[in-house]
Amino acid sequence: MTSLHAVPHSPSASSLARLLACSFACSALLPPLLPARLPGRSLGARPSSLTARPGPSPTRPPGPLWGLLLPPGSFRLPGPQPRRPDARRRAGGPTERRRHRRGACVGTQMAAPVPWACCAVLAAAAAVVYAQRHSPQEAPHVQYERLGSDVTLPCGTANWDAAVTWRVNGTDLAPDLLNGSQLVLRGLELGHSGLYACFHRDSWHLRHQVLLHVGLPPREPVLSCRSNTYPKGFYCSWHLPTPTYIPNTFNVTVLHGSKIMVCEKDPALKNRCHIRYMHLFSTIKYKVSISVSNALGHNATAITFDEFTIVKPDPPENVVARPVPSNPRRLEVTWQTPSTWPDPESFPLKFFLRYRPLILDQWQHVELSDGTAHTITDAYAGKEYIIQVAAKDNEIGTWSDWSVAAHATPWTEEPRHLTTEAQAAETTTSTTSSLAPPPTTKICDPGELGSGGGPSAPFLVSVPITLALAAAAATASSLLIW
Amino acid sequence: MLACLCTVLWHLPAVPALNRTGDPGPGLSIQKTYDLTRYLEHQLRSLAGTYLNYLGPPFNEPDFNPPRLGAETLPRATVDLEVWRSLNDKLRLTQNYEAYSHLLCYLRGLNRQAATAELRRSLAHFCTSLQGLLGSIAGVMAALGYPLPQPLPGTEPTWTPGPAHSDFLQKMDDFWLLKELQTWLWRSAKDFNRLKKKMQPPAAAVTLHLGAHGF
């Protein structure tokens, strides 16, 4: 593309060239500028990207095409290169550049009014872009405020009586919230968090930005410690009883008497750390303190305990309950010591088993001093059972939580099928007929026997009788079984 | 710190060991010793509660966490994990025996000063039980062929009126005595568990497992 300030030799050809160049430039350049000028969107701030990343400069380059159309030497617009977050005001003032450009455009306006109008548009747009890009572009000021409180946001260094408009995340705010040029927010709610920007009312010049986070100071944290890997060590975990909605930092210290112990952060969980026992059978208590702080406040708590009191194994694993063949009142239960317990040989566990049929609420309990198996001998026949096991160190600490439940139903004798009963009854009609009164068997008409299709006729007649007999036999046998 | 005359104690447990006939093996004695530690630990819980209430606050507060000052001569149960794991049987038993000998001595001193008759009765009962534990440990050692630790001439504890102790410091000593006693009983349970597992014939353990899985 030819540059806008080139002056060709023949006037007609040059003006046409200029017209074409300018039209092309206008049609190419206007689309990138248009979105910036739409009402409802601030010229300066790009809220969607900003709320995600507070800090870098809000503006984007107006469009990549600037660089293609304007030689860098003549119009030093800050367009082409990607914008750096900490870019400052350029050495040359904005006005100087505008003059330069206008002058260049004026030089061509003798030829045709259309290219001049186009240049004017371009110049104005460039000026606006330049202005917005060279306003104070410091990173938004991050501010934390307490939920429910009132806050007044000044518009940077602007005077109290300056005419400004405030926007939050790109949406205009009503002027009745303003106190002069300051934004007043009362009774802060979580929804008030966002990027607040104030602009010069007329020029849309971005004056100041505040990234507001609404939250709470931390309440006393809840801290607990437990040893499920005795005698290797123990872990402590913590949490806040209510959320603060803003980032918190935790600091844990572990003291054994006067000795400071290292609490290693858990690789997976961010609110847990692990301590290794150096000595066993200590009479000196452990003291674990935690402090939590955020931008709005600070809190702390501590707990002290003896080595033995925090011992609580994990529940037993792989609890399996099986029926015992030929024993309708027995269930065989097996389980394994928790895999986290490091030394079951020297630190044996005892177990507590509880079971009940699903239909009842009351549990039966059995305490087992060793072994990882037990046979229940008083199960109700045919009822499904739920069984759980818990573990505890033989001498110290507390019981683990209950294991995952196992379900099982004791062995029951297999019921005989109805079809086999019917066939049995049919083949033994001669014997069963003795049960039935003799006249019924003689319903079968000898005349029909001779006339009909052979064996099918008597079968058809005797079917209802055999069915009735079969039913009677089935009920009789079921009564015997059950 | 209170020091007392305990020569009688050192010789007493030897007698039952000599009278043993038809020894069923150390396994049963170890089990009995283990059971005794559990019984004593249970007894101590109620005794300590009563005694600490008698001492009054802050000793009877659950969060009471004083620095371990004084009470240097008390036998300490605390031990490095690996050291404890690698103790040989003789050393394990010896450490237990010596600890309880000293602790019994100190307890007897405590009994002398106890104010109420109720407290004295409880303490006396506990002392008797503790003496039984000592005898039991001695029995195990004898059954395994280990010599009983004999006090060296210089270190024989004798009664000497100690430096004038303030009332509070005396109470602190009492507190640590009870604490150390409780910890030793927990440790002994673990010690005897370890010994029990060692003494168990491995075949029995295998058959138990087979039976459990019903194969």
Side-chain angles (χ1 to χ4, degrees):
Chain A
M1 277 326 289
T2 52
S3 64
L4 284 164
H5 75 293
V7 182
H9 303 297
S10 87
S12 56
S14 68
S15 46
L16 183 63
R18 245 172 271 131
L19 174 65
L20 283 170
C22 218
S23 330
F24 187 85
C26 283
S27 59
L29 287 167
L30 273 173
L33 289 173
L34 275 171
R37 287 171 157 278
L38 278 174
R41 290 283 304 269
S42 70
L43 290 171
R46 297 274 189 246
S48 54
S49 61
L50 277 161
T51 45
R53 293 188 309 278
S57 162
T59 57
R60 273 198 321 233
L65 290 169
W66 280 109
L68 288 174
L69 295 157
L70 308 164
S74 57
F75 298 94
R76 256 341 232 172
L77 281 176
Q81 58 274 19
R83 192 168 169 74
R84 283 191 295 279
D86 57 349
R88 303 263 182 269
R89 241 177 234 278
R90 296 284 161 111
T95 50
E96 187 198 332
R97 304 245 168 98
R98 270 179 250 147
R99 239 186 288 122
H100 192 81
R101 201 170 310 116
R102 265 195 230 108
C105 266
V106 162
T108 64
Q109 100 188 29
M110 303 297 198
V114 176
W116 183 87
C118 185
C119 281
V121 165
L122 285 170
V128 165
V129 166
Y130 194 92
Q132 87 197 14
R133 289 172 66 74
H134 287 275
S135 55
Q137 288 297 305
E138 75 273 14
H141 170 71
V142 178
Q143 194 164 333
Y144 292 95
E145 292 294 336
R146 207 185 160 132
L147 193 66
S149 68
D150 302 337
V151 68
T152 301
L153 300 173
C155 183
T157 53
N159 293 330
W160 183 86
D161 55 356
V164 297
T165 310
W166 279 89
R167 277 185 162 174
V168 60
N169 299 336
T171 311
D172 279 346
L173 287 168
D176 60 347
L177 291 170
L178 293 176
N179 172 13
S181 67
Q182 299 173 329
L183 181 67
V184 178
L185 299 168
R186 295 194 189 283
L188 283 174
E189 293 165 6
L190 292 175
H192 281 114
S193 298
L195 181 72
Y196 291 79
C198 72
F199 302 88
H200 258 265
R201 194 168 295 159
D202 307 315
S203 65
W204 287 106
H205 171 67
L206 176 67
R207 291 300 308 265
H208 186 63
Q209 288 180 98
V210 176
L211 190 57
L212 184 70
H213 296 280
V214 179
L216 288 165
R219 293 180 60 178
E220 188 176 309
V222 176
L223 176 65
S224 65
C225 298
R226 174 181 164 218
S227 176
N228 62 342
T229 56
Y230 192 76
K232 272 206 185 136
F234 63 97
Y235 70 84
C236 293
S237 52
W238 55 88
H239 67 271
L240 288 172
T242 51
T244 61
Y245 310 103
I246 55 177
N248 308 298
T249 48
F250 295 91
N251 189 15
V252 179
T253 45
V254 181
L255 277 177
H256 185 208
S258 55
K259 205 171 97 173
I260 297 174
M261 296 186 76
V262 172
C263 195
E264 290 165 14
K265 289 219 173 295
D266 188 287
L269 300 158
K270 67 175 175 70
N271 65 337
R272 185 178 286 201
C273 67
H274 298 263
I275 299 104
R276 219 177 311 198
Y277 280 128
M278 292 297 149
H279 296 278
L280 285 186
F281 315 117
S282 174
T283 46
I284 298 171
K285 287 190 174 173
Y286 290 84
K287 180 172 178 177
V288 181
S289 332
I290 184 169
S291 70
V292 56
S293 60
N294 64 21
L296 295 173
H298 169 89
N299 215 322
T301 191
I303 55 170
T304 31
F305 50 83
D306 278 312
E307 181 186 313
F308 306 110
T309 50
I310 59 164
V311 176
K312 177 179 171 178
D314 284 331
E317 292 170 6
N318 205 15
V319 180
V320 175
R322 278 185 288 256
V324 179
S326 306
N327 283 285
R329 300 204 65 192
R330 287 186 179 219
L331 283 170
E332 195 193 308
V333 191
T334 57
W335 60 90
Q336 288 160 1
T337 58
S339 51
T340 47
W341 195 253
D343 195 354
E345 286 293 308
S346 301
F347 297 86
L349 294 169
K350 61 180 176 182
F351 301 99
F352 207 71
L353 194 135
R354 70 175 187 179
Y355 59 96
R356 64 173 172 86
L358 281 177
I359 54 175
L360 295 178
D361 286 329
Q362 209 167 17
W363 293 95
Q364 306 267 113
H365 294 104
V366 181
E367 186 166 328
L368 303 152
S369 54
D370 61 5
T372 54
H374 177 71
T375 305
I376 298 165
T377 53
D378 61 347
Y380 291 113
K383 302 286 177 267
E384 187 182 345
Y385 270 78
I386 176 169
I387 299 130
Q388 288 180 299
V389 192
K392 180 182 174 300
D393 177 274
N394 256 330
E395 294 91 32
I396 59 179
T398 53
W399 285 99
S400 72
D401 292 335
W402 289 107
S403 69
V404 170
H407 291 255
T409 309
W411 176 90
T412 49
E413 199 178 322
E414 216 178 270
R416 285 182 285 172
H417 295 289
L418 200 62
T419 49
T420 52
E421 285 296 302
Q423 284 162 18
E426 191 193 39
T427 51
T428 56
T429 26
S430 52
T431 51
T432 50
S433 63
S434 61
L435 294 169
T440 53
T441 53
K442 293 206 171 71
I443 285 171
C444 177
D445 191 352
E448 284 186 309
L449 267 168
S451 62
S456 60
F459 176 79
L460 283 167
V461 172
S462 61
V463 155
I465 299 160
T466 51
L467 275 176
L469 288 168
T475 45
S477 57
S478 67
L479 278 168
L480 282 168
I481 289 172
W482 306 113
Chain B
M1 188 66 205
L2 216 57
C4 61
L5 180 67
C6 295
T7 45
V8 171
L9 266 178
W10 294 104
H11 300 297
L12 187 64
V15 174
L18 288 172
N19 284 349
R20 200 179 297 272
T21 51
D23 195 342
L28 196 58
S29 326
I30 292 173
Q31 180 62 47
K32 282 187 178 163
T33 317
Y34 171 82
D35 293 338
L36 260 174
T37 63
R38 304 295 295 129
Y39 170 68
L40 274 162
E41 194 254 312
H42 178 78
Q43 211 184 338
L44 180 62
R45 245 182 274 163
S46 55
L47 173 66
T50 316
Y51 197 85
L52 290 173
N53 276 330
Y54 159 73
L55 290 180
F59 303 100
N60 56 352
E61 281 159 20
D63 286 344
F64 186 46
N65 187 20
R68 182 77 178 248
L69 300 167
E72 286 99 6
T73 52
L74 270 182
R76 297 193 185 207
T78 186
V79 63
D80 183 79
L81 173 57
E82 286 311 315
V83 168
W84 179 81
R85 231 198 271 266
S86 57
L87 281 175
N88 63 49
D89 295 348
K90 180 180 172 196
L91 204 53
R92 204 180 284 276
L93 286 162
T94 309
Q95 286 186 355
N96 271 274
Y97 188 86
E98 285 178 339
Y100 288 118
S101 309
H102 282 98
L103 289 167
L104 182 57
C105 212
Y106 293 127
L107 258 183
R108 290 215 162 107
L110 206 73
N111 199 3
R112 272 190 284 275
Q113 297 159 16
T116 68
E118 175 75 41
L119 217 48
R120 273 200 293 275
R121 209 177 11 251
S122 308
L123 279 167
H125 179 50
F126 190 83
C127 281
T128 313
S129 308
L130 195 53
Q131 201 166 332
L133 176 64
L134 261 178
S136 199
I137 299 173
V140 173
M141 290 181 82
L144 291 171
Y146 302 132
L148 277 179
Q150 296 298 319
L152 297 168
T155 60
E156 194 172 282
T158 50
W159 170 268
T160 48
H165 245 2
S166 84
D167 195 39
F168 183 79
L169 285 176
Q170 184 58 58
K171 288 180 177 178
M172 277 299 293
D173 287 344
D174 296 349
F175 172 84
W176 283 119
L177 171 61
L178 290 170
K179 195 95 196 257
E180 206 57 71
L181 196 47
Q182 184 181 54
T183 314
W184 261 110
L185 286 167
W186 274 323
R187 176 176 156 174
S188 297
K190 301 297 184 199
D191 280 325
F192 286 101
N193 250 329
R194 217 173 154 80
L195 286 166
K196 203 176 16 167
K197 286 274 151 66
K198 278 184 162 184
M199 300 296 154
Q200 242 173 23
V206 169
T207 50
L208 267 171
H209 276 287
L210 284 176
H213 290 289
F215 292 135

